[in-house]
Amino acid sequence: KAGVTQTPRYLIKTRGQQVTLSCSPISGHRSVSWYQQTPGQGLQFLFEYFSETQRNKGNFPGRFSGRQFSNSRSEMNVSTLELGDSALYLCASSITGGGGNSPLHFGNGTRLTVT
Amino acid sequence: GENVEQHPSTLSVQEGDSAVIKCTYSDSASNYFPWYKQELGKRPQLIIDIRSNVGEKKDQRIAVTLNKTAKHFSLHITETQPEDSAVYFCAASEGNYGQNFVFGPGTRLSVLP
């Protein structure tokens, strides 16, 4: 079974621009979560989508948004990029049903650099 | 909200020795505690997990213990090998409202040959 696929692997953007990251979960997984990983802050939860609905949201500004499609694929968008948005963005899928607490399966991430 | 602390931040051991990493959590409603290993330049991968109805779980050289009263859980690696060198993250989740994990800041483990 194919793992979680994230595209692109690397992105370089300029301050003020916007960016869209894509994630394809493991087949059969309906939950997709997004995390921001930085050396100083570790793994920070952005949001989780399940059946096309945002089910959980972390403490990030409204510039960070996402969506999930009917095939469970998910996209994350960051608008008005700031230098501090430079990070590795990890997507994780899980097989959870209505509740939570299922293992996360991470993709390789998208490395975003904002200049 | 939940807060997860993790210690130590770095750990160096000699090959063959044991390594222990400890995490504490704040939300007594948390009931699922996974551990992830992240090698340099790679994705985090689940290595072991434990649920609140279990006190200890073992998988070959890796074990996790949970103390619900004290709100802490620990990862134990025995007979360490160079390939165990990585960053290890603990996490906690209560799961009632979907997947919402809070991760510890990570421990960089170095196994010296």
Side-chain angles (χ1 to χ4, degrees), chain B residues 18-82:
Chain B
S18 295
V20 180
I21 303 170
K22 182 176 177 179
C23 288
T24 59
Y25 60 99
S26 61
D27 188 352
S28 57
S30 289
N31 53 26
Y32 177 58
F33 309 94
W35 285 88
Y36 287 84
K37 173 185 179 183
Q38 187 175 28
E39 297 176 68
L40 190 62
K42 296 190 176 181
R43 70 184 78 186
Q45 291 194 298
L46 178 74
I47 56 172
I48 196 165
D49 57 6
I50 191 166
R51 299 184 187 271
S52 59
N53 58 347
V54 175
E56 184 175 357
K57 184 176 178 181
K58 190 173 181 180
D59 182 4
Q60 299 183 349
R61 297 185 297 109
I62 294 173
V64 57
T65 58
L66 171 65
N67 184 325
K68 286 189 295 182
T69 303
K71 286 193 268 189
H72 67 71
F73 56 111
S74 299
L75 177 71
H76 305 255
I77 306 174
T78 59
E79 300 171 19
T80 53
Q81 301 167 3

Side-chain angles (χ1 to χ4, degrees), chain A:
Chain A
K1 195 180 270 191
V4 178
T5 304
Q6 290 187 248
T7 57
R9 288 297 308 277
Y10 302 93
L11 267 177
I12 299 175
K13 291 287 187 178
T14 305
R15 269 182 305 174
Q17 288 185 317
Q18 76 165 21
V19 66
T20 299
L21 313 182
S22 181
C23 172
S24 293
I26 292 172
S27 177
H29 286 194
R30 295 165 62 191
S31 168
V32 175
S33 302
W34 289 88
Y35 287 82
Q36 182 194 66
Q37 186 173 29
T38 59
Q41 298 297 318
L43 281 155
Q44 300 288 313
F45 173 71
L46 281 153
F47 27 67
E48 182 219 2
Y49 285 87
F50 179 79
S51 291
E52 301 179 66
T53 300
Q54 187 181 86
R55 190 160 64 170
N56 282 288
K57 190 178 190 303
N59 296 322
F60 278 82
R63 300 185 296 108
F64 292 81
S65 63
R67 60 178 176 168
Q68 187 180 34
F69 302 94
S70 58
N71 61 357
S72 294
R73 190 177 69 86
S74 177
E75 287 182 347
M76 189 191 101
N77 185 77
V78 188
S79 62
T80 320
L81 283 166
E82 300 176 0
L83 294 178
D85 297 333
S86 296
L88 180 68
Y89 289 89
L90 290 163
C91 168
S93 73
S94 54
I95 203 165
T96 182
N101 288 351
S102 297
L104 298 173
H105 300 265
F106 286 93
N108 285 322
T110 293
R111 172 77 60 188
L112 173 64
T113 302
V114 183
T115 62

